[in-house]
Amino acid sequence: MTLKKLTVITLACANLFVSSAFASNDYQLSCNVNISSDILFANKELIVKSSEQEAILFKANGAVYVNDRKITLTKNEQKLAQRYYKDVEASVPMVVDIAVEILKITDLALKEVFSGLLGKNSSLPEKLNARINGVTTTLKDHVYQDPNSLTFDSAHLKRNLGLGNELTKEIEQIKAEIVSTLMGQLMVAIGQSMMNGGGDFTALESRMANLAKDIEKKAKTLGDSVKESAAALCDKIEALSKTEKELRKVYELRYLDTVYFTNKA
């Protein structure tokens, strides 16, 4: 077993696991969802922006305001507005619970596999745990800051948690950082082994090969625990999309186009 071959295997394992861990969301949701504007839910009021940048405010009783002007609605239209408000309110804790669970799963998987590769003395799992816990705490503190009303400010989450258009770039940066750190620590371990007269890396190669085979299976198995919640969230968002489509029939709400939903093929 040559050092060059071991290095190639190491890099392949690192990339495979990191990609699998961070791609877990791909099979969590059975639907495609695109939110085209910022959403603000606070003080028991919902505000979304229309495609024409109008501020549309929904109240729990079915009252709707467009740019601070109350619009006239029929009883059926008021019921649709109430349903829209309630569906958004119900979706917020579902999103939070799923996000927190996925973060916990990712943390557990990273700890198990990295500890298997680097040993229990590696500091990388603890560093990642601190980073993941920081995101979890920030998210929960934001949403549950008001005991009388949920709070969900998508613009705030984009700025503070990177949950906007830059998310993909941020994930790629985190993956690169993890792989780089993992490779560095493995090379140090290999170097120390060589200095101590250990030139046979067969055992390490075997352990890494077995880990590589288990990586995708582990990520999927752990992720299955949130599939039921994710399916319920898809159902809720689909209902929200249908209600929004009905509300667009109201002339003043013709530019309401916040939620785009499709089922995955």
Side-chain angles (χ1 to χ4, degrees):
M1 157 72 100
T2 65
L3 179 59
K4 181 179 179 180
K5 182 179 179 183
L6 181 62
T7 301
V8 171
I9 293 173
T10 301
L11 184 58
C13 287
N15 274 297
L16 177 59
F17 176 71
V18 173
S19 296
S20 297
F22 282 97
S24 59
N25 284 346
D26 291 343
Y27 56 79
Q28 301 302 340
L29 291 180
S30 59
C31 59
N32 297 306
V33 179
N34 181 42
I35 307 299
S36 62
S37 72
D38 288 333
I39 296 175
L40 173 61
F41 193 101
N43 301 317
K44 296 186 177 180
E45 292 182 344
L46 167 66
I47 300 175
V48 299
K49 286 291 185 72
S50 74
S51 58
E52 294 296 309
Q53 297 304 302
E54 301 163 310
I56 304 177
L57 184 151
F58 292 85
K59 290 183 175 287
N61 63 2
V64 180
Y65 297 75
V66 178
N67 289 337
D68 297 324
R69 183 178 63 85
K70 187 176 181 179
I71 65 175
T72 301
L73 299 173
T74 65
K75 287 185 178 181
N76 183 58
E77 290 167 347
Q78 284 182 335
K79 289 181 180 179
L80 286 171
Q82 284 180 308
R83 186 189 307 165
Y84 190 77
Y85 172 96
K86 289 180 179 179
D87 282 345
V88 171
E89 184 180 39
S91 297
V92 170
M94 296 172 72
V95 169
V96 173
D97 290 345
I98 290 172
V100 168
E101 187 63 24
I102 289 174
L103 286 169
K104 288 180 179 178
I105 288 169
T106 302
D107 182 42
L108 176 61
L110 289 170
K111 276 185 177 179
E112 289 188 6
V113 177
F114 284 174
S115 294
L117 284 173
L118 302 174
K120 295 182 179 180
N121 294 327
S122 171
S123 62
L124 181 57
E126 286 71 22
K127 289 180 180 179
L128 291 169
N129 175 257
R131 192 166 191 170
I132 290 172
N133 283 344
V135 173
T136 300
T137 300
T138 300
L139 178 59
K140 294 176 76 172
D141 286 351
H142 169 72
V143 172
Y144 299 114
Q145 60 186 282
D146 183 351
N148 298 313
S149 172
L150 293 172
T151 301
F152 187 86
D153 184 347
S154 60
H156 169 83
L157 295 177
K158 288 177 185 179
R159 290 191 303 270
N160 292 279
L161 293 181
L163 300 181
N165 294 329
E166 298 299 311
L167 179 59
T168 300
K169 182 187 293 185
E170 182 174 347
I171 287 176
E172 290 303 317
Q173 290 174 345
I174 293 173
K175 286 165 61 177
E177 179 183 334
I178 291 172
V179 171
S180 176
T181 304
L182 177 59
M183 283 296 297
Q185 293 196 20
L186 279 170
M187 290 300 100
V188 168
I190 291 170
Q192 290 175 342
S193 176
M194 293 179 68
M195 290 178 65
N196 293 330
D200 185 3
F201 301 106
T202 303
L204 179 58
E205 178 190 13
S206 177
R207 186 167 77 247
M208 292 176 65
N210 290 333
L211 280 170
K213 292 177 182 178
D214 292 340
I215 282 168
E216 289 182 285
K217 181 180 179 181
K218 179 183 291 291
K220 188 178 186 306
T221 299
L222 290 170
D224 284 343
S225 64
V226 296
K227 276 190 174 181
E228 186 175 338
S229 298
L233 178 60
C234 279
D235 290 342
K236 185 64 66 177
I237 294 175
E238 182 178 17
L240 185 63
S241 179
K242 290 178 179 179
T243 302
E244 187 175 89
K245 185 176 180 180
E246 289 298 310
L247 285 170
R248 279 200 296 272
K249 295 177 182 179
V250 178
Y251 180 79
E252 291 88 348
L253 301 178
R254 64 193 183 280
Y255 297 123
L256 176 63
D257 192 17
T258 301
V259 181
Y260 176 77
F261 172 94
T262 59
N263 284 304
K264 286 185 178 178

